[in-house]
Amino acid sequence: MGSSNSSIATLSFFLITCFKLCKCHSIFCPQIENQSLLSFKHSLQDPYHQLSSWDDDSDANCCKWNGVVCNNSTGHVHQLHLRGLSLRGQINPSLLNLKHLTHLDLSLNNFKQTIPSFFGSFTKLELFNLSFAGFHGVIPHNIGNLSYLRTLDMAGFPNIVPAGHNNYYHSKTLAGYPEMEFAAHVSFPNLLQVDNLEWLSRLSGLENLNMNFVNLSRATDWVQVINTLPSLQQLRFQNCSLGYISPLSYINITSLTLLDLSSNNFHSTEVPKWIFGLQNLHFLDLRNNSFIGPIPANSNATKLKYIDLSFNFLNSTVPSWLYSCIDLEFVVLDFNFLTGAVPAGFTNLCKTRRLSLSNNNFQGNTSDLFGNMSECFLEALEILDLQFNRISGQLIDQVGEFKSLEYLNLNKNLLTGPIPASMGKLSSLKNLQLGGNKLTQNLPHSLGQLSNLEKIYIFDNKLEGVVTETLFANLTKLDVFSASNNQLSLNVSQSWIPPFQLIALGLGSWSLGSGSKIPSWLETQKNLSDYLDLSYTGISGSIPSWFWNTQILNLSHNQLHGEIPDVRGAVQFIYLSSNKLDGTLPRVGDALKELDLSNNSFSGGIAHFLCDETYPTYSLEILHLGDNLLSGELPDCWKKWPSLRYLSLGNNQMYGSIPPSIGFLTNLQSLNLQSNGLSGEIPFAMHNCIKLVKMGLADNNLEGNIPTWIGTILVELRILILRSNNMSGQISSEICQLSYLQILDLSNNELSGVIPRCIHNFTAMVMKRRSLSDLFRQYGNEKSWYSYSFFSTGGIRESALIVKKGGKLEFDNILPLVTSIDLSMNSLSGEIPNELTSLSELGSLNLSRNQLTGLIPENIGEMKQLESLDLSRNSLWSRIPSSLAVISGLGYLDLSYNNLTGRIPAGTQLQSFNVSSFVGNHLCGLPLTCNSSEGGKEMNEKAAEVEWFYMLLCMGYALGFSVVCTALVLKKAWRDAYFGLLERMWISFTTST
């Protein structure tokens, strides 16, 4: 009986289960919704057949289709998920029949149309995702009708996509907030925009809003609109062309946990304080906004887990509230102007995984920073980036106590002393960067214990000693070793086969232990594709063919010889200067970005190089062929090189005129054609080179007037050198419009006329001196140029030659630049304009060998930065101004062969110069010997001045008296009046007494 009851119960359960399963599978979506989806499908292109399950049969059930989610009870379509299916075409309004739709996701497709206005009729939608779907145009206001929306995602691609390039969107998972983890391909930009955002205020239940890359520039009241959304938890407005962020007196968005306003245009605006009043904020991204001023001193955002304020102009110390946020996991403050010591409070945080403070002005000592770190900080930290600051001191042993550290970057600080052996305990370390410091001694053997180490950057230090193969025995994962510019030696056996496969190697300035041969072990590195630096190693022989497979190749300053083949492969940056290479120039491919073959023995013409028809245009940006034996005329093929920013053909044997096609180099910033045999006039076509910062045409045979358009159009010029040509005519006043000019050299030409009085408009010569690299760098300015090379693997060093102390002095891009004006060896006349003395930062002034007259300006002493002054061989007269003696830094002075008179002003400065600085004048005083004839002549001159003074005084008195007497004799009326006046005065006097 019991067994029978058990069997019945089991059968009943089985029947009930079958009934439920049959009921579940019998759910069908309504026919009208079925047909609506099919109409939608037929209006689209489905190149990858992602909708193949959408069957056209009359008995098809759309609830079983890919991307369709139905309600389990009614069968109505509630959700449509078509994300990432690469669909194209026009969206059919038949979707409006899905009246119960709550989720619509059309993201990651390619519809290429405006957003249909009928989308505003899906009034039950709770999630609406149109991100990266190819929509463009204005977002319709009726999206504001979707009052049930909780998530609205309309993110687009960047508004600017270079022609001919594909656009990819990459993102990460940050601080627990999952972003889109994909790389979506599109062939055109997404241009979504709004005319206002007022419609958003009707979405009172909105929790998540993503409008990244949508143009919101016209929505000036966006802050007030967002503040009407009390349920909002996540707001993403990255790269939305926002230009204004207004203050808030009352914060209504108290639920906000994520705020991303990165990459907008809040120029010259301080970070709004209301942002740091958001008490529930976990994620804050304000990077790349040009915010200025301090980080707010107070904050209620104590729950922060992620903060990114990088790429702004913030200039305060780090406020204490920031390192009091105990939940902080990611701190990114890179590329600002933050000052003070790196707060030790950061080292007490227990959850921080990334601390990035690079490219600031932080100071302090390593012992204060690393000396008292908490155990939980040592346990949690994975990334520490402090590069490009001014942190000093020695690396202490505590640096080796991190348990999870994978990335350590201390490049470009002021670190000294040895690398501590304790670093060998950083068992998780993958990337070690200590380059650009002043570290000494040898590499510790303990580094060889870091079996997870992948990258080592120790370039530009003072390390010395012998490195053996035992250091590398366990570094099997190593793929980058950048150690150039040290004093290290490599001692390995001839049969050594490294345990690693490098993609990048920098051994510049090393002794390679192989004599002058290229080390044989290099041939085992089959993956050396990123860069190879063997500069200054003394290697000789020809260049191995496999070297050309690396992207960045620096073999400069060696003894390499022979010809080099055409360069058509993957190599993008080649530095082969200062070798013994010869033959004709190689042809290059369109991938090459930088080429430096200077200071070799290349010969022949350059037409085959410049006019090669293999490619219509080339991508080369830096071309340095100076100091070779190249000859022939400059070809007229510059139109093929539109990307050139730096061009040097100086010190060759080129001749002929400068071709007009050079005007096609509209991106050119530095032109160096000096020391050739070029002739003719400076072509008018060069006025198109409006980005020029340096024009170096010295030591040629150029003729004609200095073009006026140089001053009116090439307004970015900092360096203008036309020395030693046949330029004629006057120096026009238009040249004074070059307000950025810091070096002007027009010497040894045939110029005439006067020095323009507007010379005081060279306002850059009133500013504090900068290096040449500063002239080519303006933060955030795309007009600036940089070498693409990095980590001391090469690059073009800009230089300028000025005449000082009778010789040529070269300034490179590291040394502070001496601002200079050289107009010597011309036929200039007139006086030295007083306006010249307003150039208070001018370092060198040479006006010698002209026909100048008049006085030396009395206030020349205001030019306190003068280091070199040459006014010799003119016709200047009178005294030497006493103010000249107060220029303490004056190291060279030549006033010889003028008509100067009087005593040399006393003081330690002028008396320190040689007699040759003053000869050919009528001067007295040290360093000259004042003999009796000179002294007597000076006294006679002074006596003559006194005699003439009294003589003229007497003559004036006599002349005045005679005029009065003559008038009284000839004019009776005047005579009667005069004597009447005397009579009355006498009577008045006698009566009063």
Side-chain angles (χ1 to χ4, degrees):
M1 184 69 178
S3 175
S4 175
N5 290 338
S6 176
S7 299
I8 294 173
T10 301
L11 180 60
S12 299
F13 176 79
F14 176 77
L15 292 175
I16 292 173
T17 302
C18 289
F19 175 79
K20 288 183 177 180
L21 287 173
C22 291
K23 182 179 181 180
C24 179
H25 284 291
S26 65
I27 295 176
F28 282 81
C29 65
Q31 185 66 24
I32 188 172
E33 297 183 13
N34 206 83
Q35 291 301 319
S36 297
L37 288 174
L38 287 175
S39 298
F40 169 69
K41 172 190 174 183
H42 293 152
S43 68
L44 300 177
Q45 301 174 35
D46 182 15
Y48 300 106
H49 308 290
Q50 302 283 356
L51 301 182
S52 58
S53 63
W54 292 27
D55 198 346
D56 288 338
D57 292 344
S58 57
D59 58 347
N61 183 3
C62 67
C63 293
K64 298 180 180 180
W65 292 350
N66 180 31
V68 180
V69 177
C70 297
N71 183 280
N72 288 334
S73 300
T74 64
H76 289 301
V77 176
H78 276 202
Q79 299 182 17
L80 193 58
H81 298 281
L82 303 179
R83 173 188 180 89
L85 302 185
S86 299
L87 302 176
R88 303 173 185 174
Q90 298 292 310
I91 297 176
N92 194 306
S94 63
L95 285 180
L96 283 175
N97 290 317
L98 306 180
K99 298 184 181 299
H100 301 274
L101 201 63
T102 61
H103 289 64
L104 177 58
D105 187 348
L106 300 177
S107 61
L108 277 173
N109 286 291
N110 201 1
F111 292 114
K112 294 184 181 180
Q113 67 173 101
T114 58
I115 297 177
S117 59
F118 65 79
F119 278 171
S121 300
F122 290 112
T123 55
K124 293 186 178 181
L125 274 185
E126 298 176 11
L127 182 148
F128 191 24
N129 191 347
L130 300 182
S131 61
F132 313 108
F135 292 109
H136 59 85
V138 177
I139 297 175
H141 294 185
N142 63 359
I143 300 298
N145 297 335
L146 310 181
S147 56
Y148 287 99
L149 268 186
R150 289 184 288 111
T151 296
L152 175 61
D153 193 340
M154 311 192 96
F157 289 98
N159 288 341
I160 299 176
V161 178
H165 291 262
N166 290 326
N167 185 26
Y168 293 84
Y169 180 87
H170 299 274
S171 58
K172 304 175 181 178
T173 299
L174 300 173
Y177 291 92
E179 290 281 356
M180 299 172 184
E181 298 173 351
F182 57 84
H185 171 272
V186 292
S187 57
F188 66 97
N190 192 338
L191 298 174
L192 278 176
Q193 56 184 296
V194 301
D195 51 16
N196 66 67
L197 282 177
E198 293 177 3
W199 51 271
L200 270 178
S201 60
R202 305 201 300 270
L203 306 179
S204 58
L206 199 62
E207 298 176 358
N208 304 297
L209 176 60
N210 185 354
M211 302 187 78
N212 287 345
F213 295 104
V214 176
N215 189 339
L216 305 180
S217 59
R218 299 173 65 182
T220 56
D221 61 345
W222 68 271
V223 174
Q224 286 72 24
V225 172
I226 294 301
N227 201 38
T228 65
L229 305 175
S231 301
L232 195 63
Q233 297 178 18
Q234 298 188 8
L235 174 64
R236 293 180 173 89
F237 276 5
Q238 178 189 352
N239 207 330
C240 292
S241 301
L242 295 170
Y244 178 69
I245 182 168
S246 62
L248 280 179
S249 58
Y250 171 73
I251 300 176
N252 190 42
I253 44 175
T254 56
S255 300
L256 202 64
T257 61
L258 183 150
L259 177 61
D260 183 356
L261 300 177
S262 60
S263 299
N264 283 289
N265 303 315
F266 304 127
H267 294 292
S268 302
T269 302
E270 293 191 0
V271 181
K273 295 181 180 179
W274 63 263
I275 291 179
F276 295 95
L278 300 170
Q279 298 182 6
N280 291 306
L281 201 61
H282 292 174
F283 180 104
L284 177 62
D285 191 346
L286 300 179
R287 71 185 186 275
N288 194 26
N289 276 310
S290 298
F291 283 124
I292 63 172
I295 300 175
N298 300 299
S299 172
N300 292 325
T302 57
K303 298 179 181 179
L304 275 175
K305 296 181 179 180
Y306 180 103
I307 183 169
D308 190 343
L309 304 179
S310 61
F311 291 93
N312 285 290
F313 297 97
L314 304 175
N315 58 6
S316 64
T317 57
V318 178
S320 59
W321 65 261
L322 184 54
Y323 47 86
S324 299
C325 297
I326 59 175
D327 293 322
L328 268 179
E329 297 180 28
F330 295 84
V331 181
V332 185
L333 306 179
D334 305 318
F335 288 93
N336 279 287
F337 296 93
L338 300 174
T339 59
V342 176
F346 278 128
T347 64
N348 293 321
L349 297 175
C350 293
K351 298 180 181 179
T352 303
R353 295 158 52 195
R354 175 180 176 182
L355 179 60
S356 293
L357 309 177
S358 70
N359 292 271
N360 280 286
N361 295 321
F362 287 117
Q363 300 177 354
N365 195 279
T366 52
S367 58
D368 297 328
L369 177 59
F370 298 115
N372 192 26
M373 296 180 288
S374 65
E375 286 296 326
C376 58
F377 179 75
L378 292 170
E379 188 70 37
L381 196 67
E382 298 174 4
I383 297 173
L384 178 60
D385 189 351
L386 299 174
Q387 66 175 319
F388 284 92
N389 282 288
R390 300 183 61 82
I391 299 170
S392 58
Q394 297 190 13
L395 291 173
I396 58 178
D397 289 338
Q398 283 88 334
V399 176
E401 295 180 0
F402 289 100
K403 303 298 189 296
S404 305
L405 194 65
E406 298 181 4
Y407 179 94
L408 174 61
N409 193 337
L410 298 174
N411 284 340
K412 299 292 184 177
N413 277 282
L414 303 174
L415 304 177
T416 58
I419 299 174
S422 63
M423 278 197 168
K425 298 188 295 183
L426 299 174
S427 57
S428 299
L429 196 63
K430 297 179 180 179
N431 193 320
L432 173 62
Q433 302 196 30
L434 301 175
N437 286 285
K438 298 179 181 179
L439 300 173
T440 57
Q441 300 185 26
N442 202 353
L443 296 178
H445 293 295
S446 59
L447 289 183
Q449 303 171 14
L450 302 177
S451 57
N452 288 310
L453 201 58
E454 299 174 1
K455 297 173 179 16
I456 300 177
Y457 299 94
I458 51 173
F459 58 90
D460 288 345
N461 277 289
K462 297 183 178 180
L463 299 169
E464 57 185 357
V466 178
V467 177
T468 65
E469 57 193 74
T470 57
L471 177 68
F472 302 103
N474 296 318
L475 303 183
T476 57
K477 298 181 180 179
L478 194 67
D479 59 15
V480 174
F481 185 73
S482 177
S484 295
N485 297 333
N486 284 287
Q487 301 174 28
L488 295 165
S489 299
L490 183 64
N491 185 9
V492 296
S493 63
Q494 293 185 353
S495 60
W496 182 53
I497 299 178
F500 46 72
Q501 281 293 319
L502 298 177
I503 61 173
L505 174 63
L507 295 178
S509 302
W510 279 51
S511 173
L512 299 182
S514 56
S516 60
K517 297 179 180 180
I518 297 175
S520 58
W521 61 266
L522 279 176
E523 293 190 48
T524 68
Q525 301 302 296
K526 305 300 183 182
N527 300 327
L528 206 55
S529 58
D530 282 11
Y531 70 83
L532 173 63
D533 179 11
L534 299 178
S535 61
Y536 292 95
T537 56
I539 55 175
S540 62
S542 58
I543 301 175
S545 59
W546 58 273
F547 275 20
W548 303 110
N549 296 325
T550 188
Q551 291 187 21
I552 302 175
L553 179 63
N554 185 6
L555 303 176
S556 62
H557 296 86
N558 284 299
Q559 303 296 319
L560 299 170
H561 58 77
E563 300 183 9
I564 62 177
D566 292 345
V567 183
R568 304 286 200 189
V571 61
Q572 297 184 33
F573 308 93
I574 299 176
Y575 310 104
L576 300 177
S577 64
S578 301
N579 278 284
K580 297 180 179 180
L581 301 169
D582 55 22
T584 58
L585 293 176
R587 292 178 174 86
V588 299
D590 63 344
L592 194 65
K593 299 289 186 182
E594 298 187 11
L595 177 64
D596 184 357
L597 302 179
S598 62
N599 197 20
N600 280 284
S601 299
F602 291 102
S603 59
I606 62 174
H608 69 285
F609 174 88
L610 288 178
C611 305
D612 184 10
E613 295 293 337
T614 305
Y615 304 97
T617 59
Y618 291 81
S619 303
L620 199 67
E621 299 184 14
I622 293 179
L623 176 61
H624 195 349
L625 302 176
D627 297 284
N628 278 288
L629 303 174
L630 300 172
S631 58
E633 295 188 8
L634 284 178
D636 198 16
C637 303
W638 296 103
K639 188 176 182 180
K640 300 175 69 67
W641 306 85
S643 300
L644 273 179
R645 293 180 291 132
Y646 177 99
L647 171 62
S648 177
L649 288 167
N651 296 289
N652 280 287
Q653 301 168 16
M654 312 300 298
Y655 57 83
S657 60
I658 301 175
S661 65
I662 203 165
F664 286 102
L665 304 182
T666 55
N667 290 303
L668 194 64
Q669 298 189 27
S670 181
L671 174 64
N672 304 269
L673 300 179
Q674 70 277 359
S675 300
N676 281 285
L678 301 175
S679 57
E681 297 185 353
I682 300 175
F684 176 72
M686 281 184 62
H687 81 282
N688 293 319
C689 304
I690 59 174
K691 296 182 180 181
L692 269 180
V693 176
K694 177 186 177 184
M695 181 189 291
L697 303 177
D699 299 294
N700 282 289
N701 298 312
L702 299 173
E703 57 189 28
N705 295 339
I706 298 175
T708 56
W709 49 261
I710 289 181
T712 57
I713 298 179
L714 305 185
V715 294
E716 296 288 341
L717 272 179
R718 272 75 164 167
I719 301 171
L720 176 60
I721 303 178
L722 303 179
R723 178 182 63 246
S724 299
N725 280 285
N726 300 317
M727 310 298 296
S728 58
Q730 298 186 0
I731 303 175
S732 66
S733 59
E734 282 81 2
I735 202 171
C736 298
Q737 297 183 37
L738 300 176
S739 58
Y740 294 131
L741 201 64
Q742 291 201 303
I743 293 180
L744 173 63
D745 190 346
L746 306 179
S747 63
N748 196 16
N749 279 285
E750 300 171 8
L751 301 173
S752 58
V754 299
I755 301 173
R757 291 192 174 276
C758 58
I759 200 168
H760 65 281
N761 290 329
F762 294 151
T763 52
M765 298 184 185
V766 185
M767 299 166 60
K768 186 178 179 181
R769 293 183 192 176
R770 297 175 294 173
S771 66
L772 273 175
S773 58
D774 291 331
L775 300 186
F776 287 83
R777 285 195 190 114
Q778 298 174 15
Y779 183 76
N781 189 338
E782 65 180 16
K783 296 179 182 178
S784 306
W785 69 270
Y786 301 82
S787 170
Y788 280 88
S789 58
F790 53 98
F791 301 129
S792 299
T793 60
I796 303 301
R797 293 169 67 90
E798 182 60 79
S799 63
L801 292 173
I802 68 170
V803 175
K804 182 180 176 185
K805 297 186 180 181
K808 291 182 178 179
L809 180 62
E810 182 171 5
F811 291 86
D812 66 18
N813 62 338
I814 303 299
L815 298 176
L817 179 66
V818 174
T819 54
S820 168
I821 294 179
D822 191 345
L823 305 179
S824 63
M825 291 184 282
N826 282 288
S827 299
L828 300 175
S829 57
E831 297 183 347
I832 299 175
N834 284 321
E835 290 82 357
L836 182 64
T837 62
S838 67
L839 305 180
S840 56
E841 289 292 323
L842 190 66
S844 177
L845 176 62
N846 190 348
L847 303 178
S848 66
R849 298 176 184 270
N850 279 288
Q851 301 169 18
L852 300 173
T853 59
L855 309 177
I856 299 175
E858 189 64 33
N859 55 347
I860 195 171
E862 295 180 5
M863 306 175 73
K864 297 186 182 302
Q865 298 301 322
L866 269 183
E867 299 177 10
S868 176
L869 176 63
D870 191 346
L871 304 178
S872 64
R873 298 182 185 275
N874 282 286
S875 298
L876 303 172
W877 54 276
S878 192
R879 301 177 299 104
I880 298 175
S882 58
S883 64
L884 190 60
V886 302
I887 304 179
S888 58
L890 196 62
Y892 178 78
L893 175 68
D894 192 349
L895 304 178
S896 64
Y897 299 102
N898 280 284
N899 295 318
L900 300 173
T901 60
R903 181 172 292 275
I904 297 173
T908 59
Q909 191 64 25
L910 297 185
Q911 277 64 46
S912 65
F913 292 111
N914 194 281
V915 172
S916 61
S917 297
F918 304 98
V919 297
N921 290 288
H922 305 291
L923 296 169
C924 177
L926 293 176
L928 298 176
T929 302
C930 263
N931 54 41
S932 58
S933 63
E934 289 175 331
K937 183 176 180 180
E938 183 181 357
M939 293 178 64
N940 290 337
E941 289 177 351
K942 290 185 176 180
E945 290 176 1
V946 174
E947 290 176 2
W948 275 106
F949 172 77
Y950 287 113
M951 184 181 295
L952 292 173
L953 180 64
C954 293
M955 290 176 63
Y957 176 78
L959 179 62
F961 183 73
S962 64
V963 169
V964 172
C965 291
T966 302
L968 293 176
V969 171
L970 298 178
K971 292 284 187 178
K972 182 178 182 300
W974 287 18
R975 186 169 62 248
D976 292 343
Y978 176 69
F979 285 113
L981 176 64
L982 290 178
E983 183 179 4
R984 288 192 298 272
M985 291 176 62
W986 174 254
I987 293 172
S988 176
F989 175 73
T990 55
T991 303
S992 63
T993 56

